[in-house]
Amino acid sequence: MSTTPIEWIAADWGTTNLRCWAMSATDAVLDRAQSDQGMSAITSGNGDFETALLELIKPWLQSGKRIPVSACGMVGAKQGWIEAPYALAPCAPTTERVTAPTQSQDIEVFIHAGVKQLAPSDVMRGEETQIAGLLAKSPHFSGLVCLPGTHTKWAAVSNGHLQFFNTYLTGELFTLLAEQSVLRLTLAKDGWNEPAFLEAVKAAIESPESLLSTCFSLRAEALLNHLDGIEARSRLSGYLIGQELSNVLKEVKSTEPITLIGSESLVEIYRVALNSLGISSETIPNETAILAGLATGRD
Amino acid sequence: MSTTPIEWIAADWGTTNLRCWAMSATDAVLDRAQSDQGMSAITSGNGDFETALLELIKPWLQSGKRIPVSACGMVGAKQGWIEAPYALAPCAPTTERVTAPTQSQDIEVFIHAGVKQLAPSDVMRGEETQIAGLLAKSPHFSGLVCLPGTHTKWAAVSNGHLQFFNTYLTGELFTLLAEQSVLRLTLAKDGWNEPAFLEAVKAAIESPESLLSTCFSLRAEALLNHLDGIEARSRLSGYLIGQELSNVLKEVKSTEPITLIGSESLVEIYRVALNSLGISSETIPNETAILAGLATGRD
């Protein structure tokens, strides 16, 4: 760990994970830490938010110095540490934050506002900060941003504003089907078959109405034709992402590349899916976007 | 309970439930019994199939008389009591059965064959017996049969044959989303709003590619507009059944009524959905179909 003083701490606190970064005065990353104490682990257990945070960032604290923690994500939901407001889209990145109640004298915790949209109804918590980071790096950015995850977001950004967005249950549905439906008997726990994935993306785009039937066919093919578990897993992913893309492409006629922000592995899956459809994409690492976004909130 | 002698026992043994009927020599129902000892309860516990069956039908047995039990459903799957073969569609109802190994001298258990289809790959266990029952009652039946359930089947029947069928994950997906996804925070545990259901069916048929997005919108509407939990539950059901129907209707131009076979409540949901699309339907009670089907296997 660097000897440069820690000026502030960035926290990306989602449903599943808590990720923290020790930041310098010039917004350089001095250290990283991560735990599985996402919002759902805390609300379903007996833990509390402050304890989970302090446990992770303890090595970074110095008594007598109150370090600001800039946080975003589901930690600001109604079930989170403290409810942060929603900005109303269309909107420029907001610097609105709420201060979370703390016992410790070593930290001061700010949670960023989420964004809501009224027609159609939609909400985000965390992704607005990644988009704020994108706009901090590229103020004149214009285009479509895809943020893959448990609840994948597609956002239209232009003129310095988040104009419109749309959330898909794709990631959560994949996990439920892979782990808890009858398909669990058929799918491998991991592994990847890209040609099988891309074929399934294509099939889903050609026939989005057949999703519930093609999903079951994976089970039948396993019973009758010994379908390989990795191929089955890749095809399920392709059917779901293809279904999502068939809706996105319906409304998007842009020839501009799609901007992907998210974890490396998930972004790569979307990149090859889009590429197979003749759509180029550019990638911004999750960390770059989130840190730039959390830094803007500190101005 | 009647004093007419019990000649045989019918058993519909699915993933979730075991339903038995005490039958007379003229195939009249003398008594009914039901338990939650479906295949998954037995394979995930320490139970065995014979014990679960004997426990339910004990009052019907007489020592010194070996009563035949005619069974169908997932009890004949690889994970079931004994694996029964699959007939290959297109096919007429098969009377192929396997004898399950038993310790008791009071019963002799026969499990009916399922049906498989190679292109596209599909399988059924239990529904083929309902279709056999339909054909036993109406040998010249021709039309499309819908058998709603955890895995809803649509089957084309004509010339005394099951010609083609297609399975949808609809029921299982509804349960997973309602109980385990982020939507669990929004959906009521029960209750029904028919107008909301029908509106969702219509929306899904108009835009089947938007399923993963409209599902999430229920959560957003609950957060932003206090969407009622019963309305949310009914709309989720409508989105999923509408998605299924949009695929069925793509391939079916029949003006013949659809024949529905299944539990009363589920069949009613499909009936109103089809009716709202201008498609009439006729209903055959589950029990009528399954008993007529299990009786044919005894010839």
Side-chain angles (χ1 to χ4, degrees):
Chain A
M1 187 170 152
S2 160
T3 54
T4 312
I6 295 172
E7 183 72 16
W8 62 287
I9 291 169
D12 178 11
W13 206 333
T15 305
T16 317
N17 292 297
L18 166 59
R19 287 186 194 86
C20 291
W21 295 262
M23 305 294 290
S24 77
T26 58
D27 295 338
V29 175
L30 303 176
D31 201 6
R32 295 174 176 81
Q34 178 169 346
S35 86
D36 60 2
Q37 293 297 296
M39 186 192 67
S40 62
I42 293 172
T43 52
S44 68
N46 293 316
D48 67 76
F49 288 93
E50 187 173 357
T51 306
L53 177 63
L54 286 172
E55 196 166 329
L56 194 62
I57 65 172
K58 205 168 13 183
W60 302 341
L61 304 179
Q62 311 155 42
S63 72
K65 184 178 172 189
R66 192 162 203 169
I67 296 190
V69 178
S70 189
C72 69
M74 290 301 284
V75 68
K78 198 173 287 187
Q79 301 89 340
W81 192 339
I82 184 171
E83 190 173 2
Y86 290 114
L88 176 63
C91 58
T94 174
T95 55
E96 204 175 347
R97 320 189 288 177
V98 292
T99 305
T102 48
Q103 304 287 320
S104 165
Q105 297 302 307
D106 299 334
I107 52 171
E108 191 174 12
V109 178
F110 306 101
I111 301 178
H112 285 235
V115 174
K116 69 181 173 185
Q117 175 178 276
L118 299 183
S121 294
D122 216 325
V123 289
M124 58 168 67
R125 285 202 185 275
E127 296 87 356
E128 75 295 329
T129 303
Q130 294 170 297
I131 292 167
L134 164 67
L135 283 171
K137 298 268 182 194
S138 311
H140 301 293
F141 176 89
S142 174
L144 201 61
V145 184
C146 172
L147 306 110
T150 304
H151 300 150
T152 296
K153 311 278 180 187
W154 283 83
V157 177
S158 62
N159 299 322
H161 281 57
L162 167 55
Q163 303 287 358
F164 180 84
F165 66 102
N166 214 342
T167 304
Y168 294 81
L169 267 182
T170 318
E172 183 167 28
L173 192 54
F174 177 81
T175 303
L176 283 174
L177 288 173
E179 294 178 4
Q180 306 209 47
S181 79
V182 67
L183 302 183
R184 75 187 183 283
L185 305 169
T186 293
L187 264 61
K189 295 269 175 280
D190 43 42
W192 194 244
N193 178 334
E194 192 169 296
F197 167 72
L198 292 178
E199 222 169 281
V201 168
K202 189 167 168 240
I205 286 179
E206 283 169 4
S207 176
E209 63 283 351
S210 64
L211 179 70
L212 302 179
S213 168
T214 46
C215 283
F216 184 83
S217 72
L218 296 174
R219 176 65 186 148
E221 280 193 50
L223 286 168
L224 302 180
N225 302 332
H226 307 288
L227 173 65
D228 170 68
I230 292 176
E231 180 176 344
R233 181 178 184 84
S234 308
R235 277 173 54 188
L236 178 63
S237 177
Y239 291 143
L240 295 175
I241 290 177
Q243 171 89 7
E244 177 188 321
L245 292 178
S246 74
N247 195 48
V248 172
L249 298 177
K250 183 179 70 172
E251 288 167 20
V252 176
K253 305 291 170 216
S254 168
T255 53
E256 296 291 305
I258 306 289
T259 298
L260 292 162
I261 306 179
S263 78
E264 209 175 322
S265 57
L266 210 45
V267 156
E268 176 60 13
I269 289 174
Y270 275 78
R271 190 192 66 74
V272 299
L274 289 166
N275 184 58
S276 76
L277 303 171
I279 300 169
S280 64
S281 55
E282 286 167 3
T283 297
I284 300 177
N286 210 24
E287 184 178 282
T288 306
I290 204 99
L291 293 181
L294 287 170
T296 63
R298 293 180 19 83
D299 297 339
Chain B
M1 187 171 152
S2 160
T3 54
T4 312
I6 294 171
E7 182 72 16
W8 63 286
I9 291 170
D12 178 11
W13 206 332
T15 304
T16 316
N17 293 297
L18 166 59
R19 289 186 192 84
C20 291
W21 294 263
M23 305 295 292
S24 77
T26 59
D27 296 338
V29 175
L30 304 176
D31 201 6
R32 294 173 176 81
Q34 177 170 345
S35 85
D36 59 2
Q37 294 296 297
M39 186 191 66
S40 62
I42 293 173
T43 51
S44 67
N46 293 315
D48 67 76
F49 288 92
E50 188 173 358
T51 307
L53 178 63
L54 286 171
E55 196 166 331
L56 194 63
I57 64 173
K58 205 169 10 185
W60 302 341
L61 303 180
Q62 311 157 41
S63 71
K65 184 177 171 191
R66 193 162 201 168
I67 296 190
V69 178
S70 189
C72 68
M74 290 302 283
V75 67
K78 198 173 288 189
Q79 301 89 341
W81 192 338
I82 184 172
E83 190 173 2
Y86 290 115
L88 176 63
C91 57
T94 173
T95 54
E96 202 175 348
R97 320 190 287 176
V98 291
T99 306
T102 48
Q103 303 287 320
S104 165
Q105 296 302 309
D106 299 334
I107 53 172
E108 190 175 11
V109 178
F110 305 100
I111 301 178
H112 284 235
V115 175
K116 67 181 174 185
Q117 175 178 276
L118 299 184
S121 293
D122 215 326
V123 288
M124 58 167 67
R125 285 202 184 277
E127 295 87 355
E128 75 295 327
T129 304
Q130 295 169 296
I131 292 168
L134 164 67
L135 283 171
K137 298 267 181 195
S138 312
H140 301 293
F141 177 89
S142 174
L144 201 61
V145 184
C146 172
L147 305 111
T150 305
H151 300 149
T152 295
K153 310 278 179 187
W154 284 82
V157 177
S158 63
N159 299 321
H161 282 57
L162 166 55
Q163 302 287 357
F164 180 83
F165 66 102
N166 213 342
T167 305
Y168 294 80
L169 266 183
T170 318
E172 182 166 29
L173 192 54
F174 177 80
T175 303
L176 283 175
L177 288 172
E179 295 178 3
Q180 305 209 45
S181 80
V182 67
L183 302 183
R184 75 187 184 282
L185 305 169
T186 293
L187 265 60
K189 294 271 176 276
D190 43 44
W192 194 243
N193 178 333
E194 192 169 297
F197 167 72
L198 292 178
E199 222 169 283
V201 168
K202 188 166 168 243
I205 285 178
E206 281 170 6
S207 176
E209 62 283 351
S210 64
L211 179 70
L212 302 179
S213 169
T214 46
C215 283
F216 185 83
S217 73
L218 296 173
R219 177 65 186 146
E221 279 193 51
L223 286 169
L224 301 180
N225 302 333
H226 306 287
L227 173 65
D228 170 67
I230 292 177
E231 180 177 343
R233 182 179 182 83
S234 308
R235 277 173 53 189
L236 178 63
S237 178
Y239 291 143
L240 294 176
I241 290 177
Q243 171 89 9
E244 176 187 319
L245 292 178
S246 74
N247 196 48
V248 172
L249 299 176
K250 184 180 70 171
E251 289 167 19
V252 177
K253 305 291 167 213
S254 168
T255 54
E256 297 290 306
I258 305 288
T259 298
L260 292 163
I261 306 178
S263 78
E264 209 174 322
S265 56
L266 211 43
V267 155
E268 175 60 13
I269 290 175
Y270 275 77
R271 190 193 66 74
V272 298
L274 289 167
N275 184 57
S276 77
L277 303 171
I279 301 169
S280 64
S281 55
E282 287 168 2
T283 297
I284 300 177
N286 211 23
E287 184 178 281
T288 306
I290 204 101
L291 293 181
L294 286 170
T296 63
R298 291 180 21 80
D299 297 338

